[in-house]
Amino acid sequence: MSSAHPLGLPMAVPVPGLPARVRIHEVGARDGLQNEKATVPTEVKAEFIHRLAGAGLSTVEATSFVHPKWVPQLADAEALFPLLSGLDVELPVLVPNERGLERALALGADRVAVFASVTESFAKANLNRTVDESLTAFAPVVERAKGAGCRVRGYLSMCFGDPWEGQVPVDRVVTVARALLDMGCDELSLGDTIGVATPGHVTALLAALDTAGIGADVLGVHFHDTYGQALSNTLAALQHGVSTVDASAGGLGGCPFAKSATGNLATEDLVWMLQGLGIETGVDLAELTATSLWMAGHLGRPSPSRTVRALGPAAAPSSEE
Amino acid sequence: MSSAHPLGLPMAVPVPGLPARVRIHEVGARDGLQNEKATVPTEVKAEFIHRLAGAGLSTVEATSFVHPKWVPQLADAEALFPLLSGLDVELPVLVPNERGLERALALGADRVAVFASVTESFAKANLNRTVDESLTAFAPVVERAKGAGCRVRGYLSMCFGDPWEGQVPVDRVVTVARALLDMGCDELSLGDTIGVATPGHVTALLAALDTAGIGADVLGVHFHDTYGQALSNTLAALQHGVSTVDASAGGLGGCPFAKSATGNLATEDLVWMLQGLGIETGVDLAELTATSLWMAGHLGRPSPSRTVRALGPAAAPSSEE
């Protein structure tokens, strides 16, 4: 039987108490492509971002100004960013340090993000610093960014579990969240980097943050679908009042068939749920799906998004068909 | 980075108001294998069901007594069922009509299920009857099964959407649910056959059933992951008090890469969430995952379950690796 829904969209049945509108923070062009094996030409990245904006995404994280040695996939940030001028959407960029910030500011970026670890193990592995040292290092970056008029997002990675340390206590997340806000971050993104969160854990973390005076209005959630939990975790966050959700077009960044498929929540799967909940996103699902299929063609492999596969043509590349 | 969680299980954070225990109605051996291209030998099916029971699943739908012409994958019901004797779990079987019921009863089945459509289009396509005609035809089947001491489950398909008719009004579901209960069904399973449900729709349907006097205690939910929504829909159902959830080990029944991946919710993905919510299932996730990997080997293709892929060995068959 065909799985196609004749309307191409779910029936909208709003639920009282949920946000009326969700801002999707689209991370496919940065977090997604950063974790893909294939190197995508700069012009394709630019077209991708233009198409994402055209599909109605109002925040499209564009690239990273980390040293090309660490993330060669995004080594073309200086070439890419000017190709995005004129786009009427927010285009945040990741900056790892003051040098990266200066590069971003020189190109006119006005939205930047820093990337902090909640756990010592990941801070050591990713930043070669303790958590405290990394926060100390970020403080002047955030201060300089704010001074330059930027809006600053603070990413918190490993908020639920860590591959070395296992379960992560919620008070550790609260401590790092407070530090990032105190240094001037305008918003935070709570990352489940290895995808081990479940809805009760999400609710408990959001409640602990709330108790510490950190409300849903400054929080975004960033779930990975490693164990298939990203969307139910998102529902729990919406029920707590969170209205900023990170997602990656087509689920970019997670290999659909590899064991370590620590992929991001696919934007299409998220939009399908939000559409069904009657929550406004501004996103045209058909256009977004077409964009992800087009990018899947460039990457030479099918999208891991179930919604993309369900709405897309039957001709998705596959060894099964 | 490795996606493996050092504990192999999520942190349990219970949520007040959810059921303390969920009964998983495992459908992999029937609904799953019925929708797989590969024909699985009877002995493999028997071992599969023994392993599912060994992993702690207390209800394992075993096979179908539909005419072999319609479901050749399950044509070996007579040979299979006796191989399950001695298993201390519930082993419901699907019976399409009185002839199928007699075959099941002759083998000692004491749990049977009938399969009704909520929509006229699917009743016509699947049963070549109107909805009313099909209910009339089921009445003597249910009566005879009850008379023989069987517990009877009534499946309702197309409860949320239908590939021909689109959105399905909740009152249509209420009408068919009431008819099935009135003829003697002990429990119902609400099927989202094409996977288009979203959490608000789930809540609205359960509320409408409740208003009609059909409470969560007689209801199970049966979600498909076509658009990635099965687990968030399940969360919505748990929040309404539903404590019976259908799932298919390894996500059997949905081709992971095909367009029409109208696959069942994978039991492992469900168990991961329930474990995280502190909800008891009795299932050993490691044993269940090992069972699904073993079956994936027999089918010659990887499991579509994200949890199976995350917990399994890196050597899952794939054209990507």
Side-chain angles (χ1 to χ4, degrees), chain A residues 8-31:
Chain A
L9 284 175
M11 177 168 154
V13 186
V15 175
L18 295 190
R21 182 177 176 86
V22 158
R23 182 174 67 86
I24 297 176
H25 187 108
E26 169 60 46
V27 300
R30 197 277 301 167
D31 190 3

Side-chain angles (χ1 to χ4, degrees), chain A residues 210-237:
Chain A
D210 199 53
T211 300
I214 302 172
D217 54 318
V218 297
L219 297 175
V221 287
H222 185 114
F223 294 120
H224 280 205
D225 223 6
T226 319
Y227 299 85
Q229 310 292 314
L231 213 45
S232 48
N233 291 336
T234 300
L235 180 60

Side-chain angles (χ1 to χ4, degrees), chain A residues 1-7 10-11 13 15 37 122 158 162-163 166-167 194 196 198-201 204 225-229 231-232 235 239 255-260 262 269 272-273 276-277 301 304 306-307 309-314 318 320-321, chain B residues 1-7 10-11 13 15 37 122 158 162-163 166-167 194 196 198-201 204 225-229 231-232 235 239 255-260 262 269 272-273 276-277 301 304 306-307 309-314 318 320-321:
Chain A
M1 176 192 321
S2 165
S3 68
H5 196 277
L7 305 181
M11 177 168 154
V13 186
V15 175
K37 279 183 209 159
F122 190 58
M158 305 294 174
D162 173 297
Q167 299 163 357
I194 59 169
V196 296
T198 47
H201 197 164
D225 223 6
T226 319
Y227 299 85
Q229 310 292 314
L231 213 45
S232 48
L235 180 60
Q239 290 172 338
C255 171
F257 313 129
K259 169 172 162 46
S260 53
T262 53
D269 296 6
W272 185 276
M273 182 174 83
L277 289 166
R301 57 120 178 116
R306 297 188 194 257
T307 299
R309 289 210 303 270
L311 294 178
S318 161
E320 286 282 308
E321 292 179 347
Chain B
M1 178 191 322
S2 165
S3 68
H5 195 276
L7 305 180
M11 178 169 156
V13 186
V15 174
K37 279 184 210 158
F122 190 58
M158 305 293 175
D162 173 295
Q167 300 164 357
I194 57 168
V196 297
T198 46
H201 196 166
D225 223 5
T226 317
Y227 297 86
Q229 311 291 314
L231 214 45
S232 48
L235 180 60
Q239 290 173 337
C255 171
F257 313 129
K259 169 172 162 46
S260 53
T262 53
D269 296 5
W272 184 275
M273 184 175 81
L277 290 166
R301 57 116 177 120
R306 297 187 193 256
T307 298
R309 288 209 305 267
L311 293 178
S318 161
E320 285 283 307
E321 292 178 344

Side-chain angles (χ1 to χ4, degrees), chain A residues 127-200:
Chain A
L127 306 167
N128 199 27
R129 290 194 161 107
T130 67
V131 170
D132 279 348
E133 286 167 358
S134 73
L135 292 172
T136 302
F138 282 134
V141 181
V142 175
E143 187 181 14
R144 169 85 178 91
K146 295 294 292 179
C150 290
R151 183 173 169 84
V152 182
R153 160 176 259 226
Y155 279 104
L156 287 79
S157 61
M158 305 294 174
C159 289
F160 297 89
D162 173 297
W164 302 275
E165 301 177 28
Q167 299 163 357
V168 174
V170 294
D171 59 357
R172 300 269 297 282
V173 184
V174 172
T175 301
V176 175
R178 172 48 60 207
L180 287 168
L181 289 174
D182 285 349
M183 72 177 69
C185 286
D186 299 286
E187 68 173 67
L188 304 178
S189 170
L190 305 170
D192 180 19
T193 316
I194 59 169
V196 296
T198 47

